[in-house]
Amino acid sequence: MAEAAAPAIQQKEYRSGIHAKRRDAAGGWGLVMVGVDSPPQVVGLTDGAVVGSADKENQIGLTGIAPEHARVNVRSDGCYIEDLGTQEGTWVNGVRARRINVMHGDVVRLGEQIAVFVERELNLHEGSPSRLGPLVHGSKQRRDWIEPALDLVRRGSNICIEGSPGVGKRTLAHQAAMLRQHLGDIFVIDGAVEGKPTATVFDPNAPGKMGSTPAPTGVRPVTWLIYSADRLPRPQQLEVAHAVGRMSGATLIITTEQPLDRAAGDGHIAPWFASLFSGKRLTVPSLEVRREDILLIVRDIAERMGIGLNRFTPDLLEALVRAGWPGGVPQLENVLTTAVQATPEGPLSLATIADSLSRGPRLKPNLPPATDPSLARARLEDALARANGSVASAARALGMSRQAIYREADRLGLDIARRKVR
């Protein structure tokens, strides 16, 4: 009897501080329901919650969902979603399952409805989409990187906008430059053009592109807009740096396809050029990171191409949300064009584009994200608590080295030495 009682006292289940805590003012965690025919709808969750069309607290008023569709449970090793024997079924990342682990960014399908699982600040995902020039985005993206970039430019700061191809960084840089039109001339240079890049006059109607008018000689612009600055030859980087230094109040807005420090370390950007930004850098996240925006973009493309929204099947929409999209919005538009050409009428066929949908690697459930310090801290504390303070055990659970654990703890202000239970 003594052996049976001991585990109950000494092995109390540790519940994740990420999922089990109560909802806060930002909405806590839950599902962001996405579709092409309606704005995102959030469904807040708690441990033990049942979601469905009949549940009063976690009701999903959409078609194709059972009255009591799925139950959510939080365990020490993460959050799980359990299908309650529905005919419609429950899928996570394309896999139909009776019970399966979910993590931040996973694509959940309840019957015909598609959702993205998010671990914090759920309410920020709700609301009608917005548009910044041709860039369609949700409310969370506006807060996270669009408004911060525009605010820096309004204050007259130099800014570097980083991001992979096709994610909207050029559009954001263009819109930021437009805020300074009333101050004077704006010159544009594209480091990605063939041959020697030349400066042109800013064209407000050509987002992300060079202007058609060559920059006049002898004119000192108040704003320089440089696309693909990490591909601009160093002599021209020096010319621009000198021009900015000679003009009081001049501002430099650049985009890069790799982090600025990496570009400087690889020799693509001169250190003295990189120093002009004084840490004022913003990263436009990939579509894979902002999955809740993908169907907003799909709808925008469909309306421009004249594709009826009723032609998109749940299977196709789920596949589009799950895809990695390394080529960004242009790749997404090309895939939809291919689907329309292959299926001129009726529902668009997933089979015709399946081979072109890349899949991004699924991150380990407990890997702390560097872009969200508070969430990173919660996950590191969670791993250390479950490992009884053992750095080696926590490192194995997180898929990190012990040295990386110590560096992460130092970055987050955690004292690992005091966390071991004795």
Side-chain angles (χ1 to χ4, degrees):
M1 294 296 294
E3 290 184 3
I9 298 173
Q10 298 179 5
Q11 298 183 4
K12 181 179 179 180
E13 182 181 41
Y14 183 83
R15 289 187 161 260
S16 169
I18 304 166
H19 302 298
K21 62 185 180 183
R22 297 177 181 176
R23 299 178 187 175
D24 53 24
W29 56 280
L31 298 173
V32 182
M33 310 302 298
V34 295
V36 292
D37 53 358
S38 61
Q41 172 187 335
V42 300
V43 179
L45 299 176
T46 55
D47 186 15
V50 174
V51 295
S53 60
D55 188 84
K56 294 182 179 180
E57 185 176 357
N58 304 292
Q59 186 179 45
I60 302 177
L62 300 170
T63 60
I65 294 181
E68 291 188 346
H69 198 107
R71 179 182 290 109
V72 178
N73 292 113
V74 179
R75 301 189 344 182
S76 60
D77 59 342
C79 182
Y80 287 79
I81 187 166
E82 177 185 1
D83 184 85
L84 297 179
T86 65
Q87 182 178 354
E88 297 86 350
T90 299
W91 286 260
V92 174
N93 294 331
V95 177
R96 182 168 184 171
R98 170 75 176 175
R99 188 168 181 271
I100 191 170
N101 171 260
V102 289
M103 55 178 278
H104 186 76
D106 279 348
V107 179
V108 179
R109 179 175 160 194
L110 304 172
E112 297 179 1
Q113 301 302 323
I114 301 163
V116 179
F117 182 79
V118 298
E119 293 181 350
R120 61 186 295 107
E121 299 180 322
L122 180 67
N123 288 348
L124 295 180
H125 296 272
E126 190 170 29
S128 299
S130 302
R131 180 183 292 275
L132 184 71
L135 178 62
V136 178
H137 59 85
S139 56
K140 186 175 187 299
Q141 310 307 327
R142 182 96 192 172
R143 189 210 67 164
D144 286 353
W145 47 272
I146 294 177
E147 281 301 333
L150 299 180
D151 285 343
L152 283 173
V153 174
R154 289 188 187 104
R155 297 199 298 265
S157 299
N158 296 335
I159 182 174
C160 173
I161 302 174
E162 308 166 349
S164 54
V167 295
K169 60 184 180 297
R170 285 187 170 222
T171 298
L172 178 58
H174 176 92
Q175 295 296 320
M178 288 184 66
L179 297 176
R180 294 179 55 84
Q181 279 187 286
H182 66 286
L183 299 175
D185 294 298
I186 302 175
F187 286 177
V188 184
I189 300 177
D190 191 345
V193 300
E194 295 183 3
K196 182 181 179 180
T198 58
T200 63
V201 176
F202 178 77
D203 182 354
N205 297 316
K209 299 179 181 179
M210 297 275 288
S212 57
T213 304
T217 58
V219 176
R220 293 184 178 181
V222 295
T223 307
W224 286 88
L225 174 58
I226 303 180
Y227 300 124
S228 300
D230 45 347
R231 299 173 65 177
L232 188 69
R234 280 204 180 196
Q236 287 185 274
Q237 294 179 27
L238 180 60
E239 291 177 14
V240 172
H242 285 170
V244 172
R246 289 193 300 264
M247 182 68 176
S248 176
T251 290
L252 178 59
I253 303 170
I254 71 169
T255 71
T256 62
E257 293 188 3
Q258 57 183 318
L260 185 63
D261 51 356
R262 184 187 303 171
D266 292 345
H268 299 304
I269 285 184
W272 38 262
F273 190 76
S275 68
L276 295 174
F277 302 94
S278 305
K280 294 180 175 62
R281 302 158 46 190
L282 283 168
T283 301
V284 178
S286 66
L287 296 189
E288 185 179 0
V289 174
R290 55 187 215 257
R291 296 189 189 277
E292 67 277 5
D293 280 3
I294 290 178
L295 295 190
L296 301 178
I297 299 171
V298 168
R299 175 172 183 146
D300 180 67
I301 295 172
E303 290 176 345
R304 286 191 281 108
M305 296 177 60
I307 307 172
L309 298 182
N310 59 351
R311 300 186 64 191
F312 291 90
T313 65
D315 287 340
L316 176 60
L317 292 177
E318 180 187 14
L320 295 176
V321 176
R322 288 176 51 220
W325 305 116
V329 176
Q331 181 189 7
L332 175 55
E333 187 163 352
N334 290 337
V335 166
L336 292 180
T337 300
T338 301
V340 171
Q341 292 173 345
T343 316
E345 297 180 355
L348 297 176
S349 172
L350 173 59
T352 60
I353 60 172
D355 292 341
S356 59
L357 300 180
S358 60
R359 296 282 184 269
R362 189 173 192 254
L363 299 177
K364 291 180 179 293
N366 293 315
L367 185 62
T371 55
D372 191 337
S374 57
L375 182 55
R377 183 185 180 97
R379 282 184 166 172
L380 186 53
E381 288 177 333
D382 177 79
L384 289 168
R386 285 188 283 110
N388 194 29
S390 169
V391 174
S393 297
R396 284 193 296 271
L398 295 172
M400 304 168 68
S401 67
R402 285 182 296 176
Q403 292 80 4
I405 286 282
Y406 282 113
R407 287 195 298 269
E408 185 76 355
D410 182 65
R411 181 178 75 88
L412 299 170
L414 293 178
D415 187 356
I416 290 182
R418 296 183 180 181
R419 290 187 170 269
K420 189 162 185 177
V421 179
R422 300 183 183 280

